[in-house]
Amino acid sequence: MIAVVGVLGALGLAIGSFLNVVIYRVPNGLSVVRPASACPGCDTPIQGRDNVPLLSWLLLGGRCRSCRMRISARYPAIEAVTGLAFVGVALVFAPAIVTADSPAKAVAAALVLGALLYFAAISVALTMIDVDVHRLPNAIVYPAYPVLAVALVAAAIVGGEPGALLPALIGAAGSLLFYFILAFAYPGGMGLGDVKLAGAVGMLLGFFGWPQLAVGVAAAFVLGGIFGVVLIAIRRGGRKTGIPFGPWMLLGAWIGIFAGEPLAQAYLTLVGIR
């Protein structure tokens, strides 16, 4: 397990490096493949030795090797966050592969792990893009539907748990409808990008169960509301200040995935239902 977590953590760092390219280029309609990354100051292509996640930035002192232009600490931060996200997912979900009582169950667990690692990567990219430009690009959101659907359907069938697909379907359709109604009723508070993302988030949460779905959706609004109140309290915004909601949707989803069931049970106990 230590080796698996280490490998996935290193993979997360490498993917984080690529996400830095995605976060800048996708909102600007640029290819993420060509041209190769270069220093924005002197236009010198970045060499392989200077493109090692985290390590190169530290060894270069946060500056370009050629022109000594300062390189933002945001780049290694995104690499580190992605690496830590992969480690966190691996620690919680990779053990199911090792402890599976059959090869089919192990394959199913691996498919779920792959879906979550993919979701972790796009969570980082979409969060930063939404913060930067207040958009959730279709180029990232739309592919999430087939990627997650294929992985989850395959996991359910191979693992012998096709019943998980019904709440996943209801989660996707219900979340889409719920967010669409909100966007229609209050256009200034909810964008269509949020609506498009909602279906993919609902699908993933529903696959894990009803408590995860309920907590994941509710957590987004609780976190977004708290953030809005804090902004008003410190006089950094008002009631009409636009707040990117995508990051809260994604963070809420992760809360639902990791802690949805115990949080739902605690809430039901608190209100006296259990």
Coordinates of all heavy atoms in Angstrom, one line a residue, residues 55-94:
L55 N 10.3 20.1 -7.5 CA 11.8 20.1 -7.3 C 12.4 21.2 -8.2 O 13.3 21.9 -7.7 CB 12.3 18.7 -7.7 CG 13.8 18.6 -7.5 CD1 14.2 18.8 -6.0 CD2 14.3 17.2 -7.9
S56 N 12.0 21.3 -9.5 CA 12.6 22.3 -10.3 C 12.4 23.7 -9.8 O 13.3 24.5 -9.8 CB 12.1 22.2 -11.8 OG 12.5 20.9 -12.4
W57 N 11.2 24.0 -9.4 CA 10.9 25.3 -8.9 C 11.8 25.7 -7.7 O 12.3 26.8 -7.5 CB 9.4 25.4 -8.5 CG 9.0 26.8 -8.1 CD1 8.5 27.8 -9.0 CD2 8.9 27.4 -6.8 NE1 8.2 28.9 -8.3 CE2 8.4 28.7 -6.9 CE3 9.2 26.9 -5.5 CZ2 8.3 29.6 -5.8 CZ3 9.1 27.7 -4.4 CH2 8.6 29.0 -4.6
L58 N 12.0 24.7 -6.8 CA 12.8 24.9 -5.6 C 14.3 25.1 -6.0 O 15.0 26.0 -5.5 CB 12.7 23.7 -4.7 CG 11.3 23.6 -4.0 CD1 11.2 22.2 -3.2 CD2 11.0 24.7 -3.1
L59 N 14.8 24.3 -6.9 CA 16.2 24.4 -7.3 C 16.5 25.6 -8.0 O 17.6 26.2 -8.0 CB 16.6 23.1 -8.2 CG 16.6 21.8 -7.4 CD1 16.9 20.7 -8.4 CD2 17.6 21.8 -6.3
L60 N 15.5 26.1 -8.8 CA 15.7 27.4 -9.5 C 15.4 28.6 -8.7 O 15.5 29.8 -9.2 CB 14.8 27.4 -10.8 CG 15.1 26.4 -11.9 CD1 14.0 26.4 -12.9 CD2 16.4 26.8 -12.6
G61 N 15.0 28.4 -7.5 CA 14.7 29.5 -6.6 C 13.5 30.3 -7.0 O 13.4 31.5 -6.8
G62 N 12.6 29.6 -7.7 CA 11.4 30.3 -8.2 C 11.6 31.3 -9.3 O 10.8 32.2 -9.5
R63 N 12.7 31.1 -10.1 CA 13.0 32.0 -11.2 C 13.3 31.2 -12.5 O 13.8 30.1 -12.4 CB 14.1 32.9 -10.8 CG 13.8 33.9 -9.7 CD 14.9 34.9 -9.4 NE 14.6 35.8 -8.3 CZ 13.9 36.9 -8.5 NH1 13.6 37.3 -9.7 NH2 13.7 37.7 -7.5
C64 N 13.1 31.9 -13.6 CA 13.5 31.3 -14.9 C 15.0 31.2 -15.0 O 15.7 32.1 -14.6 CB 13.0 32.2 -16.0 SG 13.6 31.8 -17.7
R65 N 15.4 30.1 -15.5 CA 16.9 29.8 -15.7 C 17.5 30.8 -16.6 O 18.7 31.2 -16.4 CB 17.1 28.4 -16.2 CG 18.6 28.0 -16.3 CD 18.8 26.6 -16.9 NE 18.2 25.6 -16.0 CZ 18.9 25.1 -15.0 NH1 20.2 25.5 -14.7 NH2 18.4 24.1 -14.2
S66 N 16.8 31.3 -17.6 CA 17.4 32.1 -18.7 C 17.3 33.6 -18.3 O 18.3 34.3 -18.3 CB 16.6 31.9 -20.0 OG 16.8 30.6 -20.4
C67 N 16.1 34.1 -18.0 CA 16.0 35.6 -17.8 C 15.8 35.9 -16.3 O 15.7 37.1 -16.0 CB 14.8 36.1 -18.6 SG 13.2 35.5 -18.0
R68 N 15.7 35.0 -15.4 CA 15.6 35.2 -14.0 C 14.3 35.8 -13.6 O 14.1 36.4 -12.5 CB 16.7 36.0 -13.4 CG 18.1 35.4 -13.7 CD 18.2 34.0 -13.3 NE 18.1 33.8 -11.9 CZ 17.9 32.6 -11.3 NH1 17.8 31.5 -12.0 NH2 17.8 32.5 -10.0
M69 N 13.3 35.8 -14.5 CA 12.0 36.3 -14.2 C 11.4 35.4 -13.1 O 11.5 34.2 -13.1 CB 11.1 36.2 -15.4 CG 9.6 36.6 -15.2 SD 8.6 36.5 -16.7 CE 7.0 36.9 -16.0
R70 N 10.7 36.0 -12.1 CA 10.1 35.2 -11.0 C 9.0 34.3 -11.5 O 8.1 34.8 -12.3 CB 9.6 36.2 -10.0 CG 9.0 35.5 -8.7 CD 8.7 36.4 -7.6 NE 9.9 37.1 -7.1 CZ 10.7 36.6 -6.3 NH1 10.5 35.4 -5.8 NH2 11.8 37.3 -5.8
I71 N 9.0 33.1 -11.1 CA 7.9 32.1 -11.4 C 7.0 32.1 -10.2 O 7.4 31.8 -9.1 CB 8.5 30.7 -11.7 CG1 9.5 30.8 -12.8 CG2 7.4 29.7 -12.0 CD1 10.3 29.5 -13.0
S72 N 5.7 32.3 -10.4 CA 4.7 32.3 -9.4 C 4.7 31.0 -8.5 O 4.8 29.9 -9.1 CB 3.3 32.6 -9.9 OG 2.3 32.4 -8.9
A73 N 4.6 31.2 -7.2 CA 4.5 30.0 -6.3 C 3.2 29.3 -6.5 O 3.1 28.2 -6.0 CB 4.6 30.5 -4.9
R74 N 2.3 29.8 -7.3 CA 1.1 29.1 -7.6 C 1.3 27.8 -8.4 O 0.6 26.8 -8.1 CB 0.2 30.1 -8.4 CG -1.0 29.4 -9.0 CD -2.0 30.4 -9.6 NE -2.9 29.8 -10.6 CZ -4.0 30.4 -11.0 NH1 -4.4 31.5 -10.5 NH2 -4.8 29.8 -11.9
Y75 N 2.3 27.8 -9.2 CA 2.6 26.6 -10.0 C 3.0 25.4 -9.1 O 2.3 24.3 -9.3 CB 3.7 26.9 -11.1 CG 3.2 27.9 -12.1 CD1 3.7 29.2 -12.1 CD2 2.3 27.5 -13.1 CE1 3.3 30.1 -13.0 CE2 1.9 28.5 -14.0 CZ 2.4 29.7 -14.0 OH 2.0 30.7 -15.0
P76 N 3.9 25.5 -8.3 CA 4.2 24.4 -7.4 C 3.1 24.1 -6.4 O 2.9 23.0 -6.0 CB 5.5 24.8 -6.7 CG 5.6 26.3 -6.7 CD 4.9 26.6 -8.1
A77 N 2.3 25.1 -6.0 CA 1.2 24.9 -5.1 C 0.2 24.0 -5.7 O -0.4 23.1 -5.1 CB 0.6 26.3 -4.7
I78 N -0.1 24.2 -7.0 CA -1.1 23.4 -7.7 C -0.6 22.0 -7.9 O -1.3 21.0 -7.7 CB -1.5 24.0 -9.1 CG1 -2.3 25.3 -8.9 CG2 -2.2 23.0 -10.0 CD1 -2.6 26.1 -10.1
E79 N 0.7 21.9 -8.1 CA 1.3 20.5 -8.2 C 1.2 19.8 -6.9 O 0.8 18.6 -6.8 CB 2.8 20.6 -8.6 CG 2.9 21.1 -10.0 CD 4.4 21.5 -10.3 OE1 5.2 21.6 -9.4 OE2 4.7 21.8 -11.5
A80 N 1.5 20.5 -5.8 CA 1.4 19.9 -4.5 C 0.0 19.5 -4.1 O -0.2 18.5 -3.5 CB 2.0 20.9 -3.4
V81 N -0.9 20.4 -4.3 CA -2.3 20.1 -4.0 C -2.8 18.9 -4.8 O -3.5 18.1 -4.2 CB -3.2 21.4 -4.3 CG1 -4.7 21.0 -4.3 CG2 -2.9 22.5 -3.3
T82 N -2.5 18.8 -6.0 CA -2.9 17.7 -6.8 C -2.3 16.4 -6.3 O -3.0 15.3 -6.2 CB -2.6 17.9 -8.3 OG1 -3.1 19.1 -8.8 CG2 -3.2 16.8 -9.2
G83 N -1.0 16.5 -6.0 CA -0.3 15.3 -5.4 C -1.0 14.9 -4.1 O -1.2 13.7 -3.9
L84 N -1.3 15.8 -3.2 CA -1.9 15.5 -1.9 C -3.3 14.9 -2.1 O -3.7 14.0 -1.4 CB -1.9 16.7 -1.1 CG -0.6 17.2 -0.5 CD1 -0.7 18.5 0.2 CD2 0.0 16.2 0.4
A85 N -4.0 15.5 -3.1 CA -5.4 15.0 -3.4 C -5.3 13.5 -3.9 O -6.1 12.7 -3.4 CB -6.0 15.8 -4.5
F86 N -4.3 13.2 -4.7 CA -4.2 11.8 -5.1 C -3.8 10.9 -4.0 O -4.3 9.7 -3.9 CB -3.1 11.7 -6.2 CG -3.6 11.9 -7.6 CD1 -4.5 13.0 -7.9 CD2 -3.2 11.1 -8.7 CE1 -5.0 13.2 -9.2 CE2 -3.7 11.4 -10.0 CZ -4.6 12.4 -10.2
V87 N -3.0 11.4 -3.1 CA -2.6 10.6 -1.9 C -3.8 10.3 -1.0 O -4.0 9.2 -0.5 CB -1.5 11.3 -1.1 CG1 -1.3 10.7 0.3 CG2 -0.1 11.2 -1.9
G88 N -4.6 11.4 -0.8 CA -5.8 11.2 0.0 C -6.8 10.2 -0.5 O -7.3 9.4 0.2
V89 N -7.0 10.3 -1.8 CA -7.9 9.3 -2.5 C -7.3 7.9 -2.4 O -8.1 7.0 -2.1 CB -8.1 9.7 -3.9 CG1 -8.9 8.6 -4.7 CG2 -8.9 11.0 -4.0
A90 N -6.0 7.8 -2.6 CA -5.4 6.5 -2.6 C -5.5 5.9 -1.2 O -5.8 4.7 -1.0 CB -4.0 6.6 -3.0
L91 N -5.3 6.7 -0.1 CA -5.3 6.2 1.2 C -6.7 5.6 1.6 O -6.8 4.6 2.3 CB -4.9 7.3 2.2 CG -3.4 7.6 2.2 CD1 -3.2 8.9 3.1 CD2 -2.6 6.5 2.8
V92 N -7.7 6.2 1.1 CA -9.1 5.8 1.5 C -9.6 4.7 0.6 O -10.2 3.8 1.1 CB -10.0 7.0 1.4 CG1 -11.5 6.6 1.7 CG2 -9.6 8.1 2.4
F93 N -9.3 4.8 -0.7 CA -10.0 3.9 -1.7 C -9.1 2.8 -2.2 O -9.6 1.8 -2.7 CB -10.6 4.7 -2.8 CG -11.7 5.5 -2.4 CD1 -11.6 6.8 -2.0 CD2 -13.0 5.0 -2.2 CE1 -12.6 7.6 -1.6 CE2 -14.1 5.7 -1.8 CZ -13.9 7.1 -1.5
A94 N -7.7 2.9 -2.2 CA -6.9 1.9 -2.7 C -6.9 0.6 -1.9 O -6.8 -0.5 -2.5 CB -5.4 2.4 -2.9

